[in-house]
Short mmCIF file of all heavy atoms in Angstrom, two decimals:
data_model
loop_
_atom_site.label_atom_id
_atom_site.label_comp_id
_atom_site.label_asym_id
_atom_site.label_seq_id
_atom_site.Cartn_x
_atom_site.Cartn_y
_atom_site.Cartn_z
N ALA A 12 107.41 -116.23 -125.75
CA ALA A 12 107.84 -114.81 -125.77
C ALA A 12 107.25 -114.16 -124.50
O ALA A 12 107.95 -113.34 -123.81
CB ALA A 12 107.24 -114.10 -127.05
N ASN A 30 121.77 -106.43 -105.82
CA ASN A 30 122.75 -107.22 -106.56
C ASN A 30 123.45 -106.22 -107.44
O ASN A 30 122.86 -105.29 -107.93
CB ASN A 30 122.13 -108.37 -107.29
CG ASN A 30 121.72 -109.55 -106.45
OD1 ASN A 30 122.56 -110.27 -106.01
ND2 ASN A 30 120.44 -109.63 -106.12
N GLY A 44 114.97 -115.52 -121.85
CA GLY A 44 115.07 -115.14 -123.37
C GLY A 44 114.17 -116.14 -123.96
O GLY A 44 113.91 -117.28 -123.46
N THR A 59 105.53 -126.24 -116.52
CA THR A 59 105.34 -124.76 -116.36
C THR A 59 103.91 -124.41 -116.26
O THR A 59 103.15 -124.87 -117.09
CB THR A 59 105.86 -124.11 -117.63
OG1 THR A 59 107.36 -124.40 -117.85
CG2 THR A 59 105.80 -122.47 -117.49
N ASP A 65 92.52 -112.06 -117.18
CA ASP A 65 92.06 -111.90 -118.64
C ASP A 65 93.22 -112.45 -119.52
O ASP A 65 93.64 -113.52 -119.26
CB ASP A 65 91.84 -110.42 -118.86
CG ASP A 65 90.55 -109.87 -117.94
OD1 ASP A 65 89.74 -110.79 -117.79
OD2 ASP A 65 90.55 -108.83 -117.43
N LEU A 68 99.45 -112.07 -118.75
CA LEU A 68 100.34 -113.04 -118.01
C LEU A 68 100.86 -112.37 -116.75
O LEU A 68 101.64 -111.34 -116.92
CB LEU A 68 101.44 -113.62 -118.89
CG LEU A 68 102.29 -114.67 -118.22
CD1 LEU A 68 101.61 -115.95 -117.80
CD2 LEU A 68 103.50 -115.05 -119.13
N GLY A 70 101.90 -114.23 -113.70
CA GLY A 70 102.61 -115.18 -112.84
C GLY A 70 103.02 -116.40 -113.46
O GLY A 70 102.28 -116.83 -114.45
N PHE A 71 104.01 -117.05 -112.92
CA PHE A 71 104.29 -118.50 -113.32
C PHE A 71 104.96 -119.18 -112.33
O PHE A 71 105.67 -118.69 -111.42
CB PHE A 71 105.08 -118.36 -114.68
CG PHE A 71 106.61 -118.05 -114.46
CD1 PHE A 71 107.57 -118.97 -114.47
CD2 PHE A 71 106.97 -116.69 -114.35
CE1 PHE A 71 108.95 -118.61 -114.37
CE2 PHE A 71 108.37 -116.35 -114.19
CZ PHE A 71 109.30 -117.23 -114.13
N LYS A 98 104.82 -107.92 -109.50
CA LYS A 98 104.70 -107.14 -108.30
C LYS A 98 103.46 -106.54 -108.03
O LYS A 98 103.03 -106.51 -106.80
CB LYS A 98 105.80 -106.09 -108.35
CG LYS A 98 106.24 -105.46 -107.04
CD LYS A 98 107.39 -104.52 -107.25
CE LYS A 98 107.79 -104.06 -105.85
NZ LYS A 98 109.26 -103.86 -105.76
N HIS A 101 101.11 -108.80 -105.96
CA HIS A 101 101.45 -109.48 -104.67
C HIS A 101 100.48 -109.08 -103.69
O HIS A 101 99.68 -108.21 -103.66
CB HIS A 101 102.83 -108.87 -104.09
CG HIS A 101 103.97 -109.22 -105.01
ND1 HIS A 101 105.29 -108.83 -104.68
CD2 HIS A 101 104.05 -110.08 -106.04
CE1 HIS A 101 106.07 -109.49 -105.63
NE2 HIS A 101 105.45 -110.19 -106.49
N GLN A 103 97.57 -110.50 -102.97
CA GLN A 103 96.22 -110.68 -103.29
C GLN A 103 95.61 -112.10 -103.47
O GLN A 103 94.60 -112.37 -103.97
CB GLN A 103 96.02 -109.97 -104.67
CG GLN A 103 96.33 -108.47 -104.55
CD GLN A 103 96.01 -107.72 -106.04
OE1 GLN A 103 95.01 -108.09 -106.65
NE2 GLN A 103 96.95 -106.91 -106.31
N ARG A 141 106.85 -120.19 -95.66
CA ARG A 141 106.60 -120.79 -94.41
C ARG A 141 105.05 -120.85 -94.20
O ARG A 141 104.56 -121.81 -93.67
CB ARG A 141 107.24 -119.89 -93.27
CG ARG A 141 108.63 -120.08 -93.06
CD ARG A 141 109.20 -119.43 -91.69
NE ARG A 141 109.13 -117.91 -91.79
CZ ARG A 141 110.00 -117.14 -92.27
NH1 ARG A 141 111.16 -117.60 -92.72
NH2 ARG A 141 109.81 -115.84 -92.32
N GLY A 144 103.52 -123.85 -95.48
CA GLY A 144 103.91 -125.08 -94.79
C GLY A 144 105.33 -125.61 -95.05
O GLY A 144 105.67 -126.70 -94.68
N SER A 150 121.00 -125.61 -96.69
CA SER A 150 121.36 -124.40 -97.68
C SER A 150 122.02 -125.02 -98.80
O SER A 150 122.69 -126.15 -98.72
CB SER A 150 122.07 -123.38 -96.99
OG SER A 150 123.41 -123.78 -96.49
N THR A 161 123.89 -117.69 -100.93
CA THR A 161 123.41 -118.75 -100.07
C THR A 161 121.92 -118.81 -100.29
O THR A 161 121.23 -117.83 -100.02
CB THR A 161 123.68 -118.57 -98.55
OG1 THR A 161 125.11 -118.67 -98.60
CG2 THR A 161 123.17 -119.85 -97.84
N THR A 166 111.45 -127.49 -97.57
CA THR A 166 110.57 -128.59 -98.13
C THR A 166 109.24 -128.67 -97.43
O THR A 166 109.07 -128.17 -96.35
CB THR A 166 111.21 -129.97 -97.87
OG1 THR A 166 111.27 -130.16 -96.40
CG2 THR A 166 112.72 -130.07 -98.32
N SER A 172 98.13 -131.78 -94.48
CA SER A 172 96.93 -132.10 -93.71
C SER A 172 96.05 -130.89 -93.70
O SER A 172 96.59 -129.70 -93.71
CB SER A 172 97.35 -132.56 -92.32
OG SER A 172 98.49 -133.39 -92.26
N PHE A 175 93.97 -128.00 -88.35
CA PHE A 175 93.39 -128.51 -87.20
C PHE A 175 92.21 -127.56 -86.86
O PHE A 175 92.35 -126.38 -86.54
CB PHE A 175 94.30 -128.65 -86.00
CG PHE A 175 93.69 -129.18 -84.74
CD1 PHE A 175 93.21 -130.50 -84.86
CD2 PHE A 175 93.65 -128.52 -83.59
CE1 PHE A 175 92.65 -131.04 -83.61
CE2 PHE A 175 93.16 -129.03 -82.45
CZ PHE A 175 92.66 -130.33 -82.40
#
Side-chain angles (χ1 to χ4, degrees):
N30 287 276
T59 300
D65 297 323
L68 181 62
F71 73 102
K98 197 170 189 150
H101 289 180
Q103 298 183 40
R141 281 194 296 269
S150 67
T161 301
T166 66
S172 315
F175 181 63

